[in-house]
Amino acid sequence: MKPTIFITRKLPDELVAPLKEKFTVRMWDSEEVAVTKAVLREEIAQVDALWTMLSDTIDRDMLESAANLKVISNLAVGFNNIDIEAAKEKGIIVTNTPDVLTETTADLAFGLLLATARRFNSAEKDLRQGGWLSWTPMGFTGMDIHGTTLGIIGMGRIGEAVARRAKGFNMHMLYHNRNRKLETEEKYDVEYVELDDLLKQADHVVILVPFTEETKEMIGERELSLMKKTATLISVSRGGIVDEVALYDALKNETIFAAGLDVFETEPIPLRHPLLTLPNITAVPHIGSASVETRRAMMKMNVEAITDVLEGREPKDQVNSLASAR
Ligand code: NAP
């Protein structure tokens, strides 16, 4: 009997083809609509490998039914949608897709920073609605990027890639990270500061930490109150790191200038969400790694990891070391 794989979203046939040559592959039949919990649970009980999206919640309860499951390969670098401890206890390897998405996600982060601080979306909306009646001296004036101070929270792979871009804009750079990164400080001319100091001093703040117990609501009312009235906040890592109620208040009361969000506590963000009523927010639907080349490269990594595990090899990019569990 060939091992069986379940893919939780419809993916391009040519990328799935290498798996089909060797294994039995079942795939959820929609690209837009997520797999139902019932189907996911049923598949987990049967399959040897699971290829997941970041929108799938694979918690302890979901993993209870796994009988033959050997690997879960997630189409993302973040893996907070999977209970990796529960997977480890069941001897299930979890893999992710780091590095290949770093530059593309940094492009989005920097683009979102530009769009937010310079008010691209309200300016465009106004133009489309016929509001451009004449050139106005102070119309749609935003905040400068070049020559200002950027604060990067989470100086990992994507944080560094954002720093490389900021250098080209002649920005002064501060960062906060769990561990100090002396090599990075030297290489990119970035200065380590405590979180509060970063929030007080930065003109623009970009959040690039993973979502964990420690980073959950890391930016709340108190933290937002430390930021400059002219500052922008960009969140590209995961929803739940910024307290959205506190962010709404800060934007509504204009105690910060604007926010650019690619990620939300609930995804998709409900259309009636209060944040979406504000003019000083630029919101995009979790598109950090969404370039054709990068998404294809990520999928190839998933294929490789699943094949490796099902053929008895150690996969690359394992996020839960099974050494102690085996
Ligand atoms: P990474 O290389 O692991 O970098 C994460 C950084 O965050 C590390 O430097 C880490 O510090 C730091 N960190 C972790 N916990 C912290 C804490 N409590 N306080 C301060 N710093 C902390 O990951 P990456 O590849 O840059 O990706 C970062 C995140 O971006 C991912 O986890 C994912 O959630 C998100 N992401 C989003 C998209 C999107 O589409 N929007 C795309 C890709 C990635 P240490 O050096 O101490 O480990």
Side-chain angles (χ1 to χ4, degrees), residues 77-78 101 105 154-158 177-179 181 208-210 214-215 218 236-238 262-263 286 288-289:
V77 64
L101 48 57
T105 308
M155 187 55 89
R157 288 168 291 229
I158 304 171
N177 199 61
R178 185 170 46 189
N179 298 297
K181 305 187 81 172
L208 283 162
V209 286
E214 291 83 54
T215 63
M218 182 181 200
V236 178
S237 55
R238 282 292 181 269
D262 183 41
V263 290
H286 205 144
S289 65

mmCIF file of all heavy atoms in Angstrom, residues 77-78 101 105 154-158 177-179 181 208-210 214-215 218 236-238 262-263 286 288-289, ligand 1:
data_model
loop_
_atom_site.group_PDB
_atom_site.id
_atom_site.type_symbol
_atom_site.label_atom_id
_atom_site.label_comp_id
_atom_site.label_asym_id
_atom_site.label_seq_id
_atom_site.Cartn_x
_atom_site.Cartn_y
_atom_site.Cartn_z
ATOM 1 N N VAL A 77 6.235 30.016 6.925
ATOM 2 C CA VAL A 77 7.357 29.909 7.863
ATOM 3 C C VAL A 77 6.822 29.878 9.294
ATOM 4 O O VAL A 77 7.340 29.169 10.155
ATOM 5 C CB VAL A 77 8.406 31.041 7.656
ATOM 6 C CG1 VAL A 77 7.857 32.409 7.949
ATOM 7 C CG2 VAL A 77 9.649 30.806 8.502
ATOM 8 N N GLY A 78 5.746 30.626 9.553
ATOM 9 C CA GLY A 78 5.111 30.593 10.874
ATOM 10 C C GLY A 78 4.385 29.269 11.045
ATOM 11 O O GLY A 78 3.870 28.703 10.082
ATOM 12 N N LEU A 101 10.879 32.708 1.485
ATOM 13 C CA LEU A 101 9.892 33.797 1.476
ATOM 14 C C LEU A 101 10.413 35.081 2.115
ATOM 15 O O LEU A 101 9.709 36.098 2.168
ATOM 16 C CB LEU A 101 8.583 33.352 2.168
ATOM 17 C CG LEU A 101 8.659 32.654 3.527
ATOM 18 C CD1 LEU A 101 9.361 33.447 4.571
ATOM 19 C CD2 LEU A 101 7.290 32.250 3.982
ATOM 20 N N THR A 105 8.568 38.704 1.574
ATOM 21 C CA THR A 105 7.814 39.236 2.717
ATOM 22 C C THR A 105 8.379 40.591 3.146
ATOM 23 O O THR A 105 7.630 41.498 3.523
ATOM 24 C CB THR A 105 7.834 38.229 3.886
ATOM 25 O OG1 THR A 105 7.419 36.957 3.390
ATOM 26 C CG2 THR A 105 6.902 38.651 5.001
ATOM 27 N N GLY A 154 11.825 42.165 16.307
ATOM 28 C CA GLY A 154 12.027 40.825 15.754
ATOM 29 C C GLY A 154 13.056 40.884 14.641
ATOM 30 O O GLY A 154 12.715 41.038 13.467
ATOM 31 N N MET A 155 14.341 40.819 15.039
ATOM 32 C CA MET A 155 15.404 40.933 14.027
ATOM 33 C C MET A 155 15.824 39.528 13.577
ATOM 34 O O MET A 155 16.946 39.081 13.802
ATOM 35 C CB MET A 155 16.578 41.723 14.621
ATOM 36 C CG MET A 155 17.682 42.056 13.644
ATOM 37 S SD MET A 155 17.151 42.914 12.174
ATOM 38 C CE MET A 155 17.270 44.614 12.705
ATOM 39 N N GLY A 156 14.902 38.840 12.933
ATOM 40 C CA GLY A 156 15.217 37.517 12.384
ATOM 41 C C GLY A 156 15.523 37.655 10.908
ATOM 42 O O GLY A 156 16.019 38.694 10.451
ATOM 43 N N ARG A 157 15.190 36.601 10.150
ATOM 44 C CA ARG A 157 15.488 36.618 8.711
ATOM 45 C C ARG A 157 14.784 37.777 8.006
ATOM 46 O O ARG A 157 15.413 38.536 7.265
ATOM 47 C CB ARG A 157 15.036 35.276 8.092
ATOM 48 C CG ARG A 157 15.911 34.112 8.485
ATOM 49 C CD ARG A 157 15.255 32.799 8.106
ATOM 50 N NE ARG A 157 14.084 32.546 8.929
ATOM 51 C CZ ARG A 157 13.825 31.410 9.559
ATOM 52 N NH1 ARG A 157 14.652 30.395 9.438
ATOM 53 N NH2 ARG A 157 12.735 31.261 10.292
ATOM 54 N N ILE A 158 13.477 37.934 8.258
ATOM 55 C CA ILE A 158 12.744 38.988 7.553
ATOM 56 C C ILE A 158 13.115 40.362 8.126
ATOM 57 O O ILE A 158 13.250 41.341 7.376
ATOM 58 C CB ILE A 158 11.215 38.734 7.602
ATOM 59 C CG1 ILE A 158 10.897 37.345 7.027
ATOM 60 C CG2 ILE A 158 10.461 39.806 6.819
ATOM 61 C CD1 ILE A 158 9.457 36.887 7.215
ATOM 62 N N ASN A 177 14.920 42.539 20.045
ATOM 63 C CA ASN A 177 14.849 41.110 19.753
ATOM 64 C C ASN A 177 15.026 40.337 21.058
ATOM 65 O O ASN A 177 15.531 40.881 22.033
ATOM 66 C CB ASN A 177 15.987 40.739 18.779
ATOM 67 C CG ASN A 177 15.739 39.421 18.068
ATOM 68 O OD1 ASN A 177 14.755 39.287 17.351
ATOM 69 N ND2 ASN A 177 16.604 38.449 18.264
ATOM 70 N N ARG A 178 14.594 39.076 21.056
ATOM 71 C CA ARG A 178 14.752 38.256 22.267
ATOM 72 C C ARG A 178 16.226 38.171 22.646
ATOM 73 O O ARG A 178 16.600 38.351 23.800
ATOM 74 C CB ARG A 178 14.169 36.866 21.987
ATOM 75 C CG ARG A 178 14.145 35.964 23.162
ATOM 76 C CD ARG A 178 13.345 34.744 22.840
ATOM 77 N NE ARG A 178 13.675 34.163 21.519
ATOM 78 C CZ ARG A 178 12.976 33.192 20.962
ATOM 79 N NH1 ARG A 178 11.918 32.709 21.563
ATOM 80 N NH2 ARG A 178 13.320 32.703 19.788
ATOM 81 N N ASN A 179 17.074 37.937 21.667
ATOM 82 C CA ASN A 179 18.525 37.926 21.901
ATOM 83 C C ASN A 179 19.162 39.053 21.112
ATOM 84 O O ASN A 179 18.722 39.359 20.002
ATOM 85 C CB ASN A 179 19.115 36.595 21.414
ATOM 86 C CG ASN A 179 18.548 35.428 22.183
ATOM 87 O OD1 ASN A 179 18.729 35.322 23.389
ATOM 88 N ND2 ASN A 179 17.825 34.562 21.493
ATOM 89 N N LYS A 181 21.804 40.689 18.661
ATOM 90 C CA LYS A 181 22.478 40.105 17.507
ATOM 91 C C LYS A 181 23.632 41.014 17.105
ATOM 92 O O LYS A 181 23.447 41.932 16.292
ATOM 93 C CB LYS A 181 21.472 39.890 16.382
ATOM 94 C CG LYS A 181 20.292 39.038 16.870
ATOM 95 C CD LYS A 181 19.350 38.655 15.803
ATOM 96 C CE LYS A 181 19.831 37.478 15.004
ATOM 97 N NZ LYS A 181 18.781 37.008 14.077
ATOM 98 N N LEU A 208 7.990 41.972 13.423
ATOM 99 C CA LEU A 208 8.366 40.746 12.704
ATOM 100 C C LEU A 208 8.743 39.601 13.636
ATOM 101 O O LEU A 208 9.605 38.782 13.317
ATOM 102 C CB LEU A 208 9.499 41.062 11.717
ATOM 103 C CG LEU A 208 8.988 41.776 10.455
ATOM 104 C CD1 LEU A 208 10.095 42.457 9.704
ATOM 105 C CD2 LEU A 208 8.215 40.836 9.542
ATOM 106 N N VAL A 209 8.090 39.543 14.797
ATOM 107 C CA VAL A 209 8.299 38.399 15.708
ATOM 108 C C VAL A 209 7.257 37.327 15.396
ATOM 109 O O VAL A 209 6.176 37.638 14.911
ATOM 110 C CB VAL A 209 8.149 38.802 17.200
ATOM 111 C CG1 VAL A 209 9.341 39.606 17.671
ATOM 112 C CG2 VAL A 209 6.859 39.570 17.449
ATOM 113 N N PRO A 210 7.568 36.070 15.698
ATOM 114 C CA PRO A 210 6.533 35.043 15.506
ATOM 115 C C PRO A 210 5.447 35.168 16.578
ATOM 116 O O PRO A 210 5.686 35.794 17.618
ATOM 117 C CB PRO A 210 7.305 33.723 15.687
ATOM 118 C CG PRO A 210 8.524 34.086 16.449
ATOM 119 C CD PRO A 210 8.827 35.526 16.198
ATOM 120 N N GLU A 214 4.721 34.388 24.404
ATOM 121 C CA GLU A 214 5.406 35.613 24.870
ATOM 122 C C GLU A 214 5.041 36.836 24.022
ATOM 123 O O GLU A 214 5.051 37.949 24.520
ATOM 124 C CB GLU A 214 6.938 35.458 24.824
ATOM 125 C CG GLU A 214 7.534 34.484 25.817
ATOM 126 C CD GLU A 214 7.474 33.058 25.308
ATOM 127 O OE1 GLU A 214 7.958 32.821 24.192
ATOM 128 O OE2 GLU A 214 6.914 32.195 26.017
ATOM 129 N N THR A 215 4.775 36.616 22.740
ATOM 130 C CA THR A 215 4.533 37.794 21.877
ATOM 131 C C THR A 215 3.044 38.135 21.752
ATOM 132 O O THR A 215 2.699 39.152 21.162
ATOM 133 C CB THR A 215 5.112 37.583 20.461
ATOM 134 O OG1 THR A 215 4.441 36.479 19.846
ATOM 135 C CG2 THR A 215 6.600 37.326 20.499
ATOM 136 N N MET A 218 1.786 41.631 22.613
ATOM 137 C CA MET A 218 3.025 42.322 22.986
ATOM 138 C C MET A 218 2.862 43.846 22.817
ATOM 139 O O MET A 218 3.446 44.640 23.532
ATOM 140 C CB MET A 218 4.106 41.806 22.021
ATOM 141 C CG MET A 218 5.482 42.306 22.181
ATOM 142 S SD MET A 218 6.450 41.502 20.852
ATOM 143 C CE MET A 218 8.087 41.697 21.531
ATOM 144 N N VAL A 236 3.317 42.605 10.044
ATOM 145 C CA VAL A 236 3.351 41.682 8.911
ATOM 146 C C VAL A 236 3.553 40.250 9.413
ATOM 147 O O VAL A 236 3.611 39.312 8.645
ATOM 148 C CB VAL A 236 4.503 42.102 7.945
ATOM 149 C CG1 VAL A 236 4.627 41.167 6.762
ATOM 150 C CG2 VAL A 236 4.259 43.495 7.415
ATOM 151 N N SER A 237 3.661 40.064 10.743
ATOM 152 C CA SER A 237 3.999 38.703 11.180
ATOM 153 C C SER A 237 2.759 37.849 11.456
ATOM 154 O O SER A 237 2.432 36.976 10.650
ATOM 155 C CB SER A 237 4.990 38.703 12.335
ATOM 156 O OG SER A 237 4.552 39.464 13.416
ATOM 157 N N ARG A 238 2.029 38.125 12.540
ATOM 158 C CA ARG A 238 0.813 37.370 12.809
ATOM 159 C C ARG A 238 -0.174 38.229 13.596
ATOM 160 O O ARG A 238 0.247 39.051 14.421
ATOM 161 C CB ARG A 238 1.099 36.103 13.644
ATOM 162 C CG ARG A 238 1.687 34.925 12.884
ATOM 163 C CD ARG A 238 0.704 34.304 11.882
ATOM 164 N NE ARG A 238 1.296 33.163 11.193
ATOM 165 C CZ ARG A 238 1.967 33.224 10.041
ATOM 166 N NH1 ARG A 238 2.116 34.366 9.416
ATOM 167 N NH2 ARG A 238 2.460 32.124 9.489
ATOM 168 N N ASP A 262 -1.037 43.427 7.566
ATOM 169 C CA ASP A 262 -1.187 42.300 6.638
ATOM 170 C C ASP A 262 -1.823 41.117 7.361
ATOM 171 O O ASP A 262 -2.225 40.153 6.733
ATOM 172 C CB ASP A 262 0.203 41.904 6.097
ATOM 173 C CG ASP A 262 0.152 40.783 5.072
ATOM 174 O OD1 ASP A 262 -0.761 40.808 4.222
ATOM 175 O OD2 ASP A 262 1.011 39.880 5.126
ATOM 176 N N VAL A 263 -1.858 41.201 8.698
ATOM 177 C CA VAL A 263 -2.307 40.059 9.515
ATOM 178 C C VAL A 263 -3.272 40.541 10.593
ATOM 179 O O VAL A 263 -3.160 41.668 11.074
ATOM 180 C CB VAL A 263 -1.089 39.354 10.150
ATOM 181 C CG1 VAL A 263 -0.273 38.629 9.100
ATOM 182 C CG2 VAL A 263 -0.208 40.336 10.914
ATOM 183 N N HIS A 286 -3.209 39.249 4.238
ATOM 184 C CA HIS A 286 -2.153 38.271 4.521
ATOM 185 C C HIS A 286 -1.442 37.831 3.228
ATOM 186 O O HIS A 286 -1.466 36.665 2.846
ATOM 187 C CB HIS A 286 -2.722 37.050 5.264
ATOM 188 C CG HIS A 286 -1.673 36.353 6.081
ATOM 189 N ND1 HIS A 286 -1.935 35.777 7.309
ATOM 190 C CD2 HIS A 286 -0.348 36.133 5.853
ATOM 191 C CE1 HIS A 286 -0.820 35.245 7.788
ATOM 192 N NE2 HIS A 286 0.157 35.450 6.924
ATOM 193 N N GLY A 288 1.915 38.574 2.582
ATOM 194 C CA GLY A 288 3.357 38.767 2.761
ATOM 195 C C GLY A 288 4.219 38.001 1.774
ATOM 196 O O GLY A 288 5.120 38.555 1.140
ATOM 197 N N SER A 289 3.947 36.737 1.602
ATOM 198 C CA SER A 289 4.803 35.901 0.741
ATOM 199 C C SER A 289 4.188 35.673 -0.637
ATOM 200 O O SER A 289 4.632 34.804 -1.394
ATOM 201 C CB SER A 289 5.061 34.548 1.416
ATOM 202 O OG SER A 289 3.838 33.830 1.533
HETATM 203 P P1 NAP B 1 12.806 34.262 12.357
HETATM 204 O O1 NAP B 1 14.015 34.300 11.486
HETATM 205 O O2 NAP B 1 12.614 33.114 13.278
HETATM 206 O O3 NAP B 1 12.767 35.635 13.166
HETATM 207 C C1 NAP B 1 11.959 35.861 14.261
HETATM 208 C C2 NAP B 1 12.686 36.783 15.215
HETATM 209 O O4 NAP B 1 11.800 37.115 16.286
HETATM 210 C C3 NAP B 1 13.931 36.139 15.810
HETATM 211 O O5 NAP B 1 15.017 37.025 15.668
HETATM 212 C C4 NAP B 1 13.540 35.939 17.280
HETATM 213 O O6 NAP B 1 14.598 36.106 18.183
HETATM 214 C C5 NAP B 1 12.550 37.061 17.488
HETATM 215 N N1 NAP B 1 11.697 36.785 18.648
HETATM 216 C C6 NAP B 1 11.027 35.647 18.946
HETATM 217 N N2 NAP B 1 10.348 35.796 20.091
HETATM 218 C C7 NAP B 1 10.611 37.044 20.540
HETATM 219 C C8 NAP B 1 10.205 37.787 21.671
HETATM 220 N N3 NAP B 1 9.406 37.255 22.594
HETATM 221 N N4 NAP B 1 10.674 39.036 21.822
HETATM 222 C C9 NAP B 1 11.508 39.583 20.915
HETATM 223 N N5 NAP B 1 11.925 38.931 19.792
HETATM 224 C C10 NAP B 1 11.472 37.681 19.619
HETATM 225 O O7 NAP B 1 11.476 34.311 11.490
HETATM 226 P P2 NAP B 1 11.236 35.042 10.086
HETATM 227 O O8 NAP B 1 11.480 34.092 8.989
HETATM 228 O O9 NAP B 1 11.926 36.360 10.100
HETATM 229 O O10 NAP B 1 9.658 35.254 10.186
HETATM 230 C C11 NAP B 1 9.098 36.021 11.239
HETATM 231 C C12 NAP B 1 7.618 35.841 11.301
HETATM 232 O O11 NAP B 1 7.006 36.519 10.215
HETATM 233 C C13 NAP B 1 7.115 34.399 11.172
HETATM 234 O O12 NAP B 1 7.106 33.740 12.419
HETATM 235 C C14 NAP B 1 5.730 34.552 10.617
HETATM 236 O O13 NAP B 1 4.786 34.583 11.665
HETATM 237 C C15 NAP B 1 5.758 35.916 9.954
HETATM 238 N N6 NAP B 1 5.593 35.852 8.486
HETATM 239 C C16 NAP B 1 4.487 36.424 7.942
HETATM 240 C C17 NAP B 1 4.308 36.394 6.589
HETATM 241 C C18 NAP B 1 3.098 37.032 5.968
HETATM 242 O O14 NAP B 1 2.646 36.565 4.940
HETATM 243 N N7 NAP B 1 2.563 38.083 6.535
HETATM 244 C C19 NAP B 1 5.247 35.774 5.762
HETATM 245 C C20 NAP B 1 6.371 35.218 6.346
HETATM 246 C C21 NAP B 1 6.532 35.269 7.717
HETATM 247 P P3 NAP B 1 15.730 35.005 18.493
HETATM 248 O O15 NAP B 1 16.884 35.447 17.644
HETATM 249 O O16 NAP B 1 15.973 35.157 19.923
HETATM 250 O O17 NAP B 1 15.153 33.672 18.123
#
